[in-house]
Amino acid sequence: MNEVVLELKNVTKRFGGLTAVDKFSGHVKKGELVGLIGPNGAGKTTLFNLITGMYELDEGEMVFLGNRLNGLKPHEVTRLGIARTFQNIRLFSDMSVLENVMVARHCKLRSMFSLFSFVFKTPSALKFEKSVREHSEKLLAKVGLLNFANEKASALPYGLQRKLEIARALATEPKLLLLDEPAAGMNPQETSELMEFIKAIRDEFGLSIIVIEHDMKVIMGICERIYVMDYGKLIAEGTPSQIQSNPLVIKAYLGEEVLL
Ligand SMILES: Nc1ncnc2c1ncn2[C@@H]1O[C@H](COP(=O)(O)OP(=O)(O)OP(=O)(O)O)[C@@H](O)[C@H]1O
């Protein structure tokens, strides 16, 4: 549990005059479930966008398993073993549940096969397609979605769509999974199932996870350690009980309808 998987040093991102992430330093260890919280606009999603190569950082350094992430493109970050989900569900809604996972699996493996072999359905391409399908079905079975494999993604209940998004991220075989508000829009039953699900995939897939979430029940219930941001800055770091009693955190949330 002691190996550091992700190390962030003085990570900074500016948008014009606004410093969205201001010298953020922190780390995630192997197998750790870390929370990232803070009021609206604190810079949480921007930090995910920096780690995953969607934004270029202005200052600082990001190292993932010995690899410098600075300047990498999103697909290069994915190949290194970082996957994410988004605040708003981004599934291919007209595709089936299985196809959604297969597409992600292809993204992970596509460099192995030329376009030619796919267009002309060579034996190796067909074999490859079969292995992608089998791997995706196994993954759906592990996350309890195999019964829905042939349903359209958009036909799934909301909670299962969120689960599918996570399954799709898992298809890229990440070592670090970034979840951006996975409980948003869920009812209490779906939320408690999600909490069990996140812990189960961490164990099953040997993942490290960072979760951004406004639902404090989720954060306090599943995270071992929590980082708190406010106006781009890291204002606190600690265990759930340390965070709940931290005066800086309580002050940052004043006026917001959040029960720490
Ligand atoms: N592409 C962008 N261009 C300009 N400003 C941006 C951009 N992305 C984010 N910001 C600004 O950076 C700040 C941090 O935004 P960010 O989305 O990271 O906050 P957040 O903590 O994820 O908020 P929320 O909890 O509401 O999702 C905000 O003031 C936001 O308006």
Side-chain angles (χ1 to χ4, degrees):
M1 260 300 255
N2 283 326
E3 183 195 348
V4 171
V5 172
L6 178 73
E7 176 97 53
L8 304 175
K9 284 186 202 151
N10 291 320
V11 170
T12 300
K13 177 68 186 173
R14 297 183 198 93
F15 296 110
L18 173 86
T19 307
V21 177
D22 195 354
K23 294 192 166 48
F24 183 100
S25 295
H27 66 274
V28 180
K29 289 181 186 167
K30 190 170 190 295
E32 219 182 1
L33 225 164
V34 173
L36 180 58
I37 65 170
N40 289 319
K44 308 177 295 292
T45 298
T46 302
L47 192 60
F48 273 14
N49 287 334
L50 291 168
I51 296 168
T52 53
M54 295 181 81
Y55 291 159
E56 250 183 69
L57 82 180
D58 291 308
E59 279 169 40
E61 190 174 40
M62 307 181 291
V63 178
F64 175 66
L65 293 174
N67 303 283
R68 206 162 181 260
L69 296 179
N70 298 38
L72 295 188
K73 300 270 174 282
H75 71 273
E76 294 169 322
V77 176
T78 305
R79 293 245 168 87
L80 285 178
I82 301 180
R84 75 176 293 180
T85 64
F86 293 88
Q87 221 165 317
N88 306 312
I89 294 180
R90 293 191 186 181
L91 292 169
F92 299 111
S93 48
D94 284 334
M95 286 187 178
S96 73
V97 166
L98 178 63
E99 285 163 346
N100 264 277
V101 177
M102 286 178 71
V103 167
R105 186 78 191 143
H106 270 290
C107 288
K108 159 91 181 162
L109 302 168
R110 71 180 164 195
S111 59
M112 291 168 57
F113 280 87
S114 68
L115 184 63
F116 175 87
S117 63
F118 271 110
V119 172
F120 294 99
K121 299 257 179 263
T122 62
S124 58
L126 290 172
K127 196 170 158 210
F128 175 68
E129 194 64 19
K130 188 167 172 262
S131 78
V132 168
R133 175 176 291 268
E134 283 170 1
H135 185 279
S136 303
E137 284 172 345
K138 263 192 208 152
L139 184 55
L140 286 177
K142 276 187 184 166
V143 301
L145 285 177
L146 190 57
N147 286 344
F148 303 92
N150 298 317
E151 303 261 342
K152 247 191 185 187
S154 57
L156 289 183
Y158 188 78
L160 294 187
Q161 289 193 25
R162 283 261 172 220
K163 214 173 187 187
L164 174 56
E165 231 204 347
I166 297 175
R168 199 176 54 172
L170 293 174
T172 65
E173 291 180 41
K175 296 178 186 78
L176 173 65
L177 181 61
L178 310 179
L179 301 175
D180 197 346
E181 293 192 37
M186 284 190 171
N187 63 38
Q189 171 70 24
E190 288 171 330
T191 302
S192 44
E193 280 170 22
L194 176 81
M195 288 166 70
E196 291 311 311
F197 179 66
I198 292 174
K199 285 192 284 185
I201 56 167
R202 185 263 301 267
D203 297 342
E204 167 86 33
F205 296 91
L207 294 169
S208 306
I209 298 178
I210 310 179
V211 54
I212 295 176
E213 188 48 70
H214 284 286
D215 185 335
M216 289 303 145
K217 186 169 159 260
V218 175
I219 291 288
M220 301 302 167
I222 64 172
C223 296
E224 285 125 18
R225 210 155 54 80
I226 299 167
Y227 287 104
V228 190
M229 294 178 78
D230 193 21
Y231 293 108
K233 286 191 197 304
L234 177 64
I235 60 162
E237 184 253 324
T239 62
S241 58
Q242 287 168 339
I243 292 301
Q244 277 165 314
S245 57
N246 184 313
L248 286 175
V249 180
I250 294 164
K251 191 168 165 231
Y253 276 108
L254 272 186
E256 295 224 358
E257 284 181 37
V258 171
L259 289 175
L260 282 172

